[in-house]
Amino acid sequence: MGKQTTEMLKGVLEGIVLAMLSSRPAYGYEITAWLRDQGFTDIAEGTIYALLVRIEQRHLVDVEKVPSEKGPPRKVYSLNAQGQEYLNEFWRTWSFLIERLEQLREGEK
């Protein structure tokens, strides 16, 4: 990914992770692996773990500690009602931005 892509991704990564968690609970490494499978190959695990701490502190997710076969228990994150409200607002904002960007692009022609 280029610098511009990385910078743009920083602004929407939280929404991407919340959208993923809206379909199923997941733990940090699983989220990172999914993002990499989606083409976001330059995302560091530390970035995801810091984001998970922030969304947990803001009460957007519920956290359950699940035993792990390898090492300490895993924190499994699932979207809660407050997180769903936040995600809904994210999608409304995203739709607004997409519409305006498309208008700008069409105006360039």
Side-chain angles (χ1 to χ4, degrees), residues 8 96-109:
M8 292 175 83
F96 172 82
L97 290 171
I98 290 290
E99 289 172 11
R100 297 313 173 274
L101 289 169
E102 285 297 326
Q103 288 174 356
L104 284 170
R105 184 166 63 177
E106 289 172 9
E108 287 182 352
K109 294 178 182 177

Side-chain angles (χ1 to χ4, degrees), residues 29-79:
Y29 179 79
E30 192 175 14
I31 293 167
T32 304
W34 179 84
L35 288 165
R36 288 181 179 154
D37 287 346
Q38 298 301 309
F40 302 109
T41 55
D42 292 345
I43 293 177
E45 279 184 58
T47 299
I48 298 305
Y49 286 108
L51 183 147
L52 290 170
V53 167
R54 286 193 307 274
I55 64 175
E56 181 180 359
Q57 289 173 341
R58 291 171 43 216
H59 308 287
L60 302 178
V61 292
D62 292 328
V63 180
E64 180 183 358
K65 289 192 177 183
V66 176
S68 171
E69 295 174 9
K70 302 175 183 176
R74 293 179 174 155
K75 289 175 97 176
V76 176
Y77 299 86
S78 57
L79 195 66

Side-chain angles (χ1 to χ4, degrees), residues 18-30:
L18 291 175
M20 182 208 171
L21 293 175
S22 73
S23 64
R24 64 182 178 89
Y27 57 94
Y29 179 79
E30 192 175 14

